[in-house]
Amino acid sequence: MEQITSSDGYTQPPPYAALRVKAIQSLLVDKGLVVEDALNEVVDLYENRIGPKDGAAVIARAWAEPEFRQQLLDDGTGTLAELGMTGFEGAHVVFVENTDTVHNVVVCTLCSCYPWAVLGLPPAWYKAPQYRSRAVMEPRDVLQEFGTFVPDDKEVRVWDSTAEIRYIVIPERPAGTEDLTVEQLAELVNRDSMIGTRLATPRQEAIA
Amino acid sequence: MNGVHDVGGKHGFGTVTTEEQEPVFHGQWERDVFSVIGLYFAAGLCPLDEFRHSIEVMDPAEYLSTPYYVHWLRAAENLGFWNDLFTPEELEARITELESNEKEGL
């Protein structure tokens, strides 16, 4: 089918965007409402410090420790808080687990709700209307565009995030990884596998 | 609110485009927009419902035709007005000022 919208994930700004935000920043700084360092700091936090590696460490531990896995499933928000993973967005986090009969996938149809404190900021496709509109309507087709084929006899569950509740998928642990350490397991947990659009990375692809 | 943002189940948007090794931000303007909203959050200026609302009142045609961070740009403007951080007149004046500085190469 011919594509109607731009295919660049909607990242090219219209001409007015850069100037308007510079004007807002400069007003806020001149009025003494913010300091420039704080603007840079919040960017640095989410660009360089918090990211999918944080979530990957949690998932790897859940694979290795059944008790911890159960804790995450029972009380995601509380368990993350114990690990110091709370964010601005301050929402509840619910973990859902993939099994041999269920595949979970997460979307935010209304906007872009996402567990920042655990995964960092969402990728552009997660925030674009292509994914948001179709993930709830034809999830298997969308998953195939990510190269993820879920067999017909496996149930697909789609979780629509809200401002109050965000979801994280615990992907299935890849086969043949019994001897790996938690740190090595974390290498197999790619960002998309925690959103549910991909599976965890097979061992041979991750540890070359 | 049954606005244009409620895209779940709508047809016609096309296929999902993904990017290998996607950067967190695709340009300085995205960092700038994020930093303003980030500080609004940190300052408690926008509970999430209010943040969402500030996007949902966007012009529907602009909402669908612009990248994600333009939604946040409009949120930064609307929340700025609603919280009396600056007025629409001040913003327009500052834009004009920056524009003329740019032209003069300042």
Side-chain angles (χ1 to χ4, degrees), chain A residues 13-25, chain B residues 28-30 32-33 70 73 95 98 102:
Chain A
Y16 54 81
L19 189 62
R20 291 191 79 85
V21 69
K22 281 287 175 210
I24 294 173
Q25 282 187 328
Chain B
Q28 187 54 41
W29 79 281
E30 290 192 353
D32 290 341
V33 173
V70 171
L73 167 66
I95 289 167
L98 292 180
E102 257 176 34

Side-chain angles (χ1 to χ4, degrees), chain B residues 24-80:
Chain B
V24 177
F25 297 107
H26 291 77
Q28 187 54 41
W29 79 281
E30 290 192 353
R31 287 189 189 88
D32 290 341
V33 173
F34 179 77
S35 68
V36 171
I37 296 291
L39 291 189
Y40 284 179
F41 278 134
L45 284 182
C46 52
L48 273 167
D49 293 337
E50 200 174 323
F51 174 61
R52 281 264 308 283
H53 181 66
S54 72
I55 292 177
E56 291 168 3
V57 295
M58 270 182 77
D59 175 75
E62 186 189 41
Y63 182 93
L64 284 183
S65 60
T66 52
Y68 177 74
Y69 277 106
V70 171
H71 305 175
W72 278 41
L73 167 66
R74 293 307 189 189
E77 294 179 16
N78 289 331
L79 291 164

Side-chain angles (χ1 to χ4, degrees), chain A:
Chain A
M1 198 172 79
E2 192 187 342
Q3 250 176 270
I4 300 162
T5 45
S6 86
S7 60
D8 59 6
Y10 281 151
T11 52
Q12 292 306 311
Y16 54 81
L19 189 62
R20 291 191 79 85
V21 69
K22 281 287 175 210
I24 294 173
Q25 282 187 328
S26 109
L27 279 172
L28 294 173
V29 170
D30 282 2
K31 286 167 174 269
L33 295 167
V34 306
V35 291
E36 217 153 335
D37 283 352
L39 292 167
N40 296 331
E41 206 169 303
V42 72
V43 168
D44 179 55
L45 183 62
Y46 284 97
E47 184 163 24
N48 303 316
R49 286 185 268 160
I50 300 175
K53 63 171 186 355
D54 299 311
V58 172
I59 299 298
R61 194 175 154 199
W63 282 346
E65 297 173 29
E67 246 172 63
F68 179 69
R69 180 193 189 96
Q70 198 54 49
Q71 254 185 3
L72 280 181
L73 291 168
D74 291 344
D75 179 13
T77 316
T79 309
L80 290 173
E82 281 171 26
L83 299 172
M85 294 172 127
T86 52
F88 287 147
E89 85 282 5
H92 293 285
V93 178
V94 172
F95 284 82
V96 290
E97 61 179 337
N98 286 350
T99 65
D100 48 12
T101 55
V102 176
H103 181 89
N104 295 282
V105 60
V106 181
V107 63
C108 175
T109 59
L110 292 175
C111 186
S112 57
C113 295
Y114 191 76
W116 287 14
V118 190
L119 301 184
L121 300 181
W125 57 259
Y126 185 85
K127 302 176 280 193
Q130 289 87 346
Y131 180 75
R132 290 161 48 201
S133 62
R134 293 177 52 231
V136 285
M137 193 77 158
E138 39 191 21
R140 287 174 195 270
D141 293 346
V142 171
L143 289 172
Q144 284 194 18
E145 284 162 31
F146 284 85
T148 303
F149 298 87
V150 179
D152 284 344
D153 58 357
K154 196 174 214 182
E155 183 187 347
V156 173
R157 288 186 192 158
V158 182
W159 300 86
D160 197 354
S161 305
T162 66
E164 286 80 30
I165 302 181
R166 285 126 205 258
Y167 300 92
I168 299 176
V169 175
I170 304 180
E172 284 186 275
R173 178 173 173 164
T177 56
E178 294 74 13
D179 59 318
L180 297 187
T181 64
V182 173
E183 288 72 26
Q184 288 169 322
L185 285 172
E187 301 285 318
L188 310 181
V189 187
N190 62 74
R191 178 197 63 206
D192 293 358
S193 72
M194 295 180 276
I195 305 173
T197 51
R198 291 185 210 271
L199 306 180
T201 313
R203 177 177 187 165
Q204 56 275 21
E205 280 174 40
I207 304 165

